[in-house]
Every structure is written in C-alpha cells, then in structure tokens.
C-alpha cells in the first residue's frame, strides 16, 4: 500500500512541474548524446592522426633525457626493432634582448 502512494506522489510531482521535468530530461539526454559522440569519435581521431603522421613522416615518439642524450644513445635507439629512422637534435633555451624587451627563445639544430 505504501508503494502505491509513493508512486502516485511521484507522478503527481512530475505532473505539477512538467516543464522543469522535461527540461532536466532534455539536458540529461543532450549530455549523454554529447558524451557518447566524444567517446565514439576518439578511435577515429587516433587512426586519422596516425595515418597523417605516417604519410608526412612525422615523429611518433620523442626521447628526452634530463642530462641530454649522447650519440651512443641515438645509435642504441636506432637498433630497436621497428625504428626506421633516428634524428637527434640539439636545443637550448636562451634569453634574447630586442630593443628594450627581453624574450625567451628556444634554439634548435
């Protein structure tokens, strides 16, 4: 008997605030649809990015060391199975004074 009264009260509450109930349901449905779309798009975006990287010979991974890497390290990385090419480069952060302004510049070889 209590379940019936609770159910009746539930439906009466919805009927009294129909606009609020429909607004909450619409907002929830929109959020679920957006979330599902983002989740469904992720694998396609990853495959597209991977194909673009392969097509344009962009780097897949960057190896960095806190104290830098030596030429021997680059040779060791080149020996790893699946590595097609290793391109070591050197970089340095510097301050450059241009007129009265001091800017931070990263120089790469």
């Amino acid at each position: 008997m209590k379940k019936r009264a609770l159910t009746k009260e539930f439906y009466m509450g919805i009927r009294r605030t129909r606009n609020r109930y429909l607004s909450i349901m619409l907002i929830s449905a929109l959020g679920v649809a957006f979330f599902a779309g983002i989740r469904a798009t992720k694998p396609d975006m990853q495959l597209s990015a991977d194909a673009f990287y392969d097509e344009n010979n962009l780097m897949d991974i960057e190896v960095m060391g806190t104290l830098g890497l030596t030429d021997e390290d680059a040779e060791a990385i080149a020996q790893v199975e699946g590595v097609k090419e290793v391109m070591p480069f050197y970089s340095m952060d510097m301050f450059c004074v241009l007129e009265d302004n001091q800017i931070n510049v990263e120089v790469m070889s």
Side-chain angles (χ1 to χ4, degrees):
M1 187 106 146
K2 284 186 179 185
K3 283 187 178 183
R4 188 169 183 181
L6 183 61
T7 305
K8 188 175 179 181
E9 175 65 28
F10 175 72
Y11 287 118
M12 284 177 62
I14 290 175
R15 205 174 310 133
R16 277 183 282 177
T17 58
R18 183 176 293 141
N19 289 339
R20 184 177 2 166
Y21 178 76
L22 291 175
S23 296
I24 291 171
M25 291 301 290
L26 183 66
I27 290 169
S28 298
L30 186 64
V32 167
F34 183 76
F35 180 71
I38 294 295
R39 291 285 305 250
T41 304
K42 179 186 173 192
D44 293 334
M45 290 179 74
Q46 286 177 331
L47 288 173
S48 296
D50 188 44
F52 180 80
Y53 285 3
D54 291 343
E55 187 177 300
N56 293 300
N57 294 326
L58 298 176
M59 71 174 161
D60 291 324
I61 189 168
E62 181 178 0
V63 179
M64 296 180 1
T66 55
L67 298 175
L69 299 173
T70 63
D71 291 333
E72 292 83 25
D73 294 332
E75 291 173 15
I77 293 171
Q79 300 301 319
V80 173
E81 184 180 336
V83 174
K84 292 181 183 175
E85 184 179 355
V86 175
M87 183 182 292
F89 72 96
Y90 303 96
S91 68
M92 179 179 286
D93 291 328
M94 305 173 76
F95 288 109
C96 180
V97 177
L98 224 86
E99 296 174 2
D100 293 336
N101 298 329
Q102 183 177 7
I103 57 174
N104 187 16
V105 179
E106 182 178 10
V107 180
M108 292 188 221
S109 66

